Amino acid sequence: MTHAYRTHTCGQLRDSDANGTTRLSGWVHRVRDHGGLLFIDLRDHYGMTQVVADPDSPCFKVAEKVRSEWVIRIDGKVRLRPAGTENKDMPTGLVEIYATEIEVLGQAAELPLPVFGEPDYPEDTRLKYRFLDLRRETLHKNIMTRTKVVSHLRRKMNDIGFNEFSTPILTASSPEGARDFLVPSRIHPGKFFALPQAPQQYKQLLMVAGFDRYFQIAPCFRDEDPRADRLPGEFYQLDLEMSFVTQDDLLSTMQPVVLELFNSFKGAKTVRADVPRIPYDVAVRKYGSDKPDLRNPIEMQAVTEHFAGSGFKVFAGMIANDPKVEVWAIPAPKGGSRAFCDRMNGWAQKEGQPGLGYVFWREGEEGGAGPIAKNIGPERTEAIRKQMGLGVGDACFFVAGRPEKFYKFAGDARTIVGKELNLTNENEFAFCWIVDFPFYEWSEEDKKVDFGHNPFSMPQGGLKALESQDPLTIKAFQYDMVCNGYEIASGSIRNHSPETMVKAFEITGVTKAEVEERFGGMYRAFQFGAPPHGGMAFGVDRLVMLICGVTNLREITLFPMNQQAQDLLMGAPSDATPKQLRELHIRLNLPEK
RNA sequence: GCGGAUGUAGCUCAGUUGGUUAGAGCGUCGGCCUGUCACGCCGAAGGUCGCGGGUUCGAGCCCCGUCAUUCGCGCCA
């Protein structure tokens, strides 16, 4: 008895199957019609098999009619391809199916998006016809990589003693800081659920409830504008939380999980085994970023002293006028040519900077070349060269000002130098932890102290630090994991003491009553025996993006929305019917066009 | 909300300084072809140049507006 659709998949048959019969179903990938002989590449999820028909076959007339992306069922004889016509690039390339019967299961209209081939197509077409896009080889493969990554993580987390729990999707507004998606309540007119920006409070409650190790591949919802590496609307996190742990326990629990994941999926790339823990302050000074790409070997240094009182009046003047001004040096090994330095200078001007000062060293010019070298003289130039460990053929760029104003620009310059000079190894995964984030930061907009990151983090020094220290000097037990310049995880040791929590909010101007109102569930829970706990969340989408080597999240997401946060395939968001709105007690107040 | 880029055949794109009838490849349709695997050859159909307005003797091209897509800023861990 034969199955209605197939006895084998399209990726299955080998030379050992020759002389047997088979039934295959799949999509017509390509047709090559030679008149008296006709080939069909039949494709399914598993692979591709060549089908051949000639005028002696009773199904030849049908075979002549089929077109790309029709779904057909074929019966036929498995046979070895004639000598010399084997295709070594295909796993099934030693055999072909001589078709005896073809049944058309589903015709396809003229394609708005070819499945064959891999050129780029406009996003709106790809999204509107996502089901066709997903048939294409690369995207199909990326999506499969994603499901394998997720199942790898799930298996691993279970293995090391974590328990998976599902937390509510319809919940209360959470304190992450992003805009909430709201869902109106029918039963409670005028009230709204919020979709969780992260299961933050629930997972902390699970710790209070005594479950010790929680994880979840959790959907998260944020109503913010997207970027290439930030999906609109919804995204997934590997969310986890542990009780009775220190920061060190958390980092050393998850570091092997991440390294093993990348080692399993790295392909031809390499994974750096060393994962340094870098304090936030150090990361900013060395790399100009709190998510440094460590594939780039460049490390910046302060060289303020060499410019103070020097003949380079621009920098010397700034230093004399403001004790907080510093000069940072960005070394550029092998960048010692006028052309390259000028190119960097031009880039800086395009970025809206006055320029990018530089020195470079050529054979026979002891004191260095370039305008800055002339201005500060050979001794100072030589001192800089020694400090930065540079030599003939190298260059060095300089930025000056208050570090908090220019560190991002310096970091961008570091990135460009690394890329332009091919110092950054593109075939590597390089990780680091960034630790000791500031607990508070100064909000210029609100003219007050505000939380730097998660308000539920434990300040280093606890309640005592909050009571005695300048808030802006307090660090948090807060950490990120970074890979190749992407933040892939973020977490903290939580503040489990109600008094400390109230004090922490008080410093930002939020009263005890407001804390009780906004975070009532958690505040109440902390009154009844909360264990010390902490956790983190990995961006699943970003992990997969790095593993697949793509720079846009749409390349690894099944049904992404466009940049306007619309689902072009399903037509979401869409109008609600008057009946729906009536039941929800909602009247629309639309902006005038 | 703001800034940059893009918008021409079903799809990907070209289109000179503003000048006659807007082109190519893929796909589609028709014909030929028995060893291709991006099959080959011959032929045909297919266009509101995103949309609206303006300048001009004349606009795919210049100007203004608008819409759509995208990248970035703001926003967001």
Side-chain angles (χ1 to χ4, degrees):
Chain A
M1 191 155 51
T2 314
H3 186 268
Y5 297 118
R6 62 184 175 197
T7 57
H8 300 85
T9 71
C10 294
Q12 200 175 350
L13 293 165
R14 297 291 181 273
D15 50 353
S16 55
D17 296 302
N19 304 319
T21 60
T22 188
R23 171 171 281 189
L24 300 179
S25 285
W27 286 263
V28 174
H29 191 65
R30 279 301 258 191
V31 180
R32 291 177 296 280
D33 186 349
H34 291 233
L37 186 69
L38 179 150
F39 300 97
I40 296 170
D41 290 335
L42 196 66
R43 184 196 75 235
D44 65 11
H45 176 76
Y46 305 95
M48 195 122 63
T49 300
Q50 175 165 285
V51 177
V52 60
D54 66 25
D56 297 333
S57 164
C59 63
F60 190 67
K61 285 234 151 30
V62 187
E64 280 183 315
K65 282 207 177 63
V66 303
R67 291 292 175 267
S68 287
E69 298 312 309
W70 287 27
V71 179
I72 61 172
R73 186 214 86 209
I74 74 113
D75 288 355
K77 300 190 180 80
V78 184
R79 66 188 195 192
L80 291 175
R81 295 194 187 188
T85 66
E86 302 89 349
N87 187 336
K88 296 200 170 53
D89 298 328
M90 290 171 73
T92 62
L94 294 181
V95 297
E96 63 189 11
I97 314 303
Y98 180 75
T100 52
E101 192 181 315
I102 295 180
E103 182 191 2
V104 176
L105 301 173
Q107 295 195 6
E110 189 169 347
L111 300 172
L113 176 80
V115 173
F116 172 80
E118 291 282 336
D120 276 335
Y121 291 93
E123 289 294 339
D124 45 347
T125 307
R126 293 184 58 188
L127 294 181
K128 190 170 172 189
Y129 299 96
R130 192 62 166 176
F131 45 89
L132 290 178
D133 201 18
L134 287 165
R135 286 182 199 168
R136 303 169 78 209
E137 192 178 353
T138 303
L139 187 56
H140 202 88
K141 211 169 65 198
N142 287 352
I143 296 297
M144 284 312 294
T145 299
R146 184 194 177 104
T147 85
K148 286 175 193 157
V149 165
V150 168
S151 96
H152 177 107
L153 288 172
R154 198 167 253 142
R155 194 172 345 108
K156 189 69 198 170
M157 293 303 281
N158 277 306
D159 286 351
I160 60 177
F162 283 82
N163 309 295
E164 185 166 14
F165 299 102
S166 296
T167 53
I169 301 296
L170 291 174
T171 180
S173 182
S174 53
E176 299 285 319
R179 234 174 257 127
D180 284 317
F181 277 102
L182 295 178
V183 179
S185 162
R186 174 180 58 83
I187 295 174
H188 301 281
K191 293 199 187 298
F192 295 83
F193 296 98
L195 304 183
Q197 296 182 23
Q200 181 65 31
Q201 296 190 70
Y202 283 116
K203 69 174 175 177
Q204 292 193 238
L205 290 167
L206 284 169
M207 295 302 101
V208 178
F211 286 106
D212 206 73
R213 285 188 168 202
Y214 144 93
F215 89 99
Q216 179 179 198
I217 310 287
C220 303
F221 305 90
R222 287 174 196 170
D223 188 7
E224 295 293 350
D225 291 347
R227 295 287 181 273
D229 64 347
R230 202 170 79 203
L231 284 168
E234 57 186 77
F235 59 97
Y236 281 83
Q237 289 187 337
L238 167 61
D239 194 41
L240 62 111
E241 198 77 5
M242 306 168 78
S243 283
F244 305 110
V245 286
T246 62
Q247 172 170 306
D248 184 58
D249 292 326
L250 270 154
L251 304 195
S252 48
T253 299
M254 291 313 292
Q255 185 169 313
V257 174
V258 174
L259 290 182
E260 193 188 306
L261 175 76
F262 276 79
N263 274 306
S264 304
F265 288 91
K266 64 188 175 185
K269 297 188 178 179
T270 56
V271 177
R272 232 189 254 182
D274 180 40
V275 182
R277 297 180 187 177
I278 307 170
Y280 171 86
D281 290 342
V282 173
V284 166
R285 297 189 77 86
K286 275 190 178 173
Y287 310 111
S289 170
D290 61 359
K291 40 184 182 181
D293 187 346
L294 293 192
R295 296 174 303 171
N296 180 347
I298 294 174
E299 293 187 4
M300 304 189 290
Q301 291 184 35
V303 291
T304 316
E305 61 191 84
H306 303 305
F307 282 93
S310 74
F312 190 58
K313 296 296 180 210
V314 185
F315 285 8
M318 287 167 76
I319 295 164
N321 289 334
D322 183 347
K324 288 190 175 161
V325 161
E326 297 186 20
V327 180
W328 287 7
I330 307 159
K334 309 278 173 265
S337 75
R338 170 110 32 208
F340 175 69
C341 291
D342 281 347
R343 193 140 39 96
M344 286 303 296
N345 189 51
W347 166 81
Q349 287 171 345
K350 223 172 63 199
E351 294 289 300
Q353 301 292 328
L356 193 58
Y358 58 83
V359 171
F360 63 102
W361 289 273
R362 286 186 296 208
E363 199 62 61
E365 275 180 298
E366 300 307 316
I372 285 185
K374 300 281 174 294
N375 277 302
I376 63 175
E379 289 81 23
R380 287 171 182 267
T381 308
E382 181 62 11
I384 290 169
R385 190 192 64 74
K386 277 205 175 122
Q387 182 186 330
M388 302 307 296
L390 295 168
V392 167
D394 300 338
C396 193
F397 298 93
F398 303 96
V399 289
R402 285 196 171 197
E404 72 265 24
K405 298 270 188 219
F406 73 62
Y407 80 87
K408 277 191 183 123
F409 168 67
D412 289 347
R414 170 183 175 269
T415 302
I416 305 251
V417 170
K419 284 221 166 80
E420 291 273 322
L421 298 177
N422 282 323
L423 303 171
T424 303
N425 179 0
E426 302 282 347
N427 294 311
E428 186 178 40
F429 294 109
F431 299 87
C432 61
W433 295 99
I434 306 297
V435 298
D436 300 339
F437 278 82
F439 189 58
Y440 292 113
E441 63 189 15
W442 178 253
S443 165
E444 198 53 49
E445 192 185 338
D446 301 329
K447 301 287 178 206
K448 72 175 182 82
V449 171
D450 215 340
F451 289 107
H453 291 266
N454 188 332
F456 298 141
S457 301
M458 179 70 93
Q460 295 185 17
L463 185 58
K464 218 171 122 193
L466 293 178
E467 283 169 339
S468 59
Q469 238 173 290
D470 171 3
L472 294 175
T473 66
I474 298 172
K475 310 276 184 232
F477 285 114
Q478 162 96 38
Y479 35 84
D480 283 358
M481 194 182 206
V482 174
C483 175
N484 294 1
Y486 287 93
E487 177 198 314
I488 57 170
S490 190
S492 65
I493 294 295
R494 319 301 179 189
N495 182 350
H496 67 284
S497 139
E499 297 82 43
T500 315
M501 187 173 158
V502 167
K503 181 70 189 168
F505 273 99
E506 197 185 290
I507 289 174
T508 69
V510 176
T511 64
K512 185 178 175 188
E514 285 173 304
V515 172
E516 284 176 29
E517 192 206 319
R518 278 168 60 192
F519 317 119
M522 234 166 63
Y523 184 73
R524 201 180 319 138
F526 287 175
Q527 317 282 336
F528 295 94
H533 62 286
M536 62 180 101
F538 286 83
V540 170
D541 310 275
R542 286 202 187 148
L543 292 175
V544 176
M545 189 166 108
L546 283 160
I547 283 168
C548 289
V550 301
T551 53
N552 194 304
L553 286 167
R554 280 187 298 266
E555 301 304 327
I556 50 106
T557 308
L558 269 176
F559 298 105
M561 294 198 276
N562 68 7
Q563 213 198 6
Q564 267 57 252
Q566 294 168 303
D567 181 335
L568 296 176
L569 179 53
M570 299 302 285
S574 57
D575 293 326
T577 65
K579 178 166 183 268
Q580 287 174 316
L581 291 175
R582 249 191 332 272
E583 282 186 337
L584 295 168
H585 306 280
I586 287 177
R587 191 179 303 144
L588 298 179
N589 178 17
L590 300 172
E592 290 181 29
K593 270 279 174 182

